[in-house]
């Protein structure tokens, strides 16, 4: 069963605006979450993570928000840049699973001029 | 090397043949993972190696799939009697210890097409 879901397969946003990517999960045992970014013909690259004991983590233009009661997290990119056009994957893990992750299906982001 | 290296980058094989996919992790990374991404799907966990511990094989989809890691470094994923549903991009990743909040580094993948 799909424990991590990204319900929006694609997102188009204008350069300079905010991109908001959403992710829902079903397993309350997950205690950390990550976002990966993937360009065509390349492997995913780690972007940002958050522990379940926090509700926000910020790194430059990227902020991840976690709402544990709703089992929902989001990634905000502000401001969006053309180089941000990529597929973004949400992933979740359990602390004692030694890094094994459950991934969502991804959201294709297109940043237009 | 500087990153995770996978070979071949592309592989086309006939149904029923065996294939071997290779992963060379970042030097010093003790954890190594195999995932695959089928068309339009997210990444699916296959197998995980951590140091000298027994690997976590819980994601392997059938007994046609196996993997080994020699000397705690290079790993080979073997698919026997390939089927068309095995067509996917096979991704290898490595990390120091267990990854976790610090993520892990993926290779560029091997695109396997079974015809």
């Amino acid at each position: 069963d799909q424990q991590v879901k990204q319900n929006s397969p694609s997102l188009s946003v204008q350069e300079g605006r905010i991109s908001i990517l959403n992710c829902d999960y079903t397993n309350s045992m997950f205690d950390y979450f990550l976002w990966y970014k993937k360009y065509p013909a390349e492997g995913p690259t780690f972007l940002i993570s958050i522990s379940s004991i926090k509700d926000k983590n910020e790194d430059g233009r990227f902020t991840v928000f976690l709402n544990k009661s709703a089992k929902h997290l989001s990634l905000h990119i502000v401001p969006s840049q053309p180089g941000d056009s990529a597929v973004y994957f949400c992933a979740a893990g359990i602390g004692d699973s030694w890094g094994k992750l459950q991934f969502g299906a991804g959201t294709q982001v297109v940043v237009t001029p | 090397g500087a990153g995770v290296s996978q070979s071949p980058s592309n592989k086309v094989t006939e149904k029923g043949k065996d294939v071997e996919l290779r992963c060379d992790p970042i030097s010093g990374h003790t954890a190594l993972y195999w995932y695959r991404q089928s068309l339009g799907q997210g990444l699916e966990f296959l197998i995980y190696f951590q140091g000298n511990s027994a690997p976590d094989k819980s994601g392997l989809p059938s007994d046609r799939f196996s993997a080994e890691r020699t000397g705690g470094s290079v790993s080979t994923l073997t698919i026997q009697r390939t089927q068309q549903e095995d067509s996917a991009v096979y991704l290898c990743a490595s990390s120091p210890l267990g990854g976790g909040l610090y993520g892990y580094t993926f290779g560029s993948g091997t695109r396997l097409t079974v015809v």
Side-chain angles (χ1 to χ4, degrees):
Chain A
D1 64 336
Q2 192 75 5
Q3 298 185 47
V4 178
K5 298 177 185 178
Q6 294 177 256
N7 292 319
S8 297
S10 65
L11 171 71
S12 183
V13 64
Q14 239 178 349
E15 183 178 0
R17 300 286 191 123
I18 183 171
S19 294
I20 300 176
L21 290 80
N22 294 304
C23 178
D24 297 295
Y25 61 95
T26 57
N27 189 344
S28 57
M29 297 293 290
F30 288 138
D31 52 17
Y32 61 94
F33 305 87
L34 308 92
W35 286 92
Y36 282 82
K37 174 180 178 179
K38 184 180 183 303
Y39 293 119
E42 295 183 11
T45 55
F46 169 69
L47 199 54
I48 192 169
S49 64
I50 188 167
S51 164
S52 62
I53 62 173
K54 294 189 170 184
D55 54 17
K56 176 182 174 181
N57 188 26
E58 190 172 353
D59 184 1
R61 296 185 298 113
F62 303 92
T63 303
V64 56
F65 296 92
L66 175 62
N67 182 335
K68 284 184 66 179
S69 61
K71 294 192 179 69
H72 177 84
L73 67 154
S74 61
L75 175 69
H76 292 207
I77 308 173
V78 184
S80 300
Q81 299 174 353
D84 296 331
S85 296
V87 177
Y88 290 78
F89 291 98
C90 170
I94 300 172
D96 62 358
S97 70
W98 284 106
K100 184 170 76 177
L101 298 175
Q102 296 279 345
F103 281 82
T107 297
Q108 171 76 60
V109 172
V110 176
V111 179
T112 57
Chain B
V4 177
S5 178
Q6 290 188 247
S7 61
S9 54
N10 279 285
K11 176 72 177 179
V12 180
T13 189
E14 291 182 354
K15 179 181 170 182
K17 300 274 190 178
D18 297 353
V19 294
E20 282 190 354
L21 312 180
R22 177 188 167 104
C23 173
D24 209 333
I26 291 173
S27 178
H29 280 190
T30 57
L32 186 147
Y33 310 81
W34 284 97
Y35 284 79
R36 72 175 177 182
Q37 184 182 16
S38 302
L39 194 62
Q41 303 295 314
L43 279 71
E44 174 190 6
F45 169 77
L46 297 177
I47 188 170
Y48 158 68
F49 296 89
Q50 171 60 44
N52 296 320
S53 302
D56 179 346
K57 304 179 182 180
S58 59
L60 294 178
S62 78
D63 58 8
R64 296 185 295 104
F65 288 72
S66 63
E68 61 178 24
R69 187 178 184 191
T70 52
S73 181
V74 172
S75 177
T76 302
L77 177 69
T78 302
I79 309 173
Q80 294 179 311
R81 305 181 302 282
T82 51
Q83 304 294 313
Q84 286 184 330
E85 62 262 27
D86 300 334
S87 296
V89 177
Y90 288 80
L91 292 157
C92 175
S94 71
S95 72
L97 297 180
L101 270 174
Y102 306 104
Y104 30 72
T105 304
F106 280 92
S108 297
T110 294
R111 180 174 296 278
L112 175 66
T113 304
V114 181
V115 297

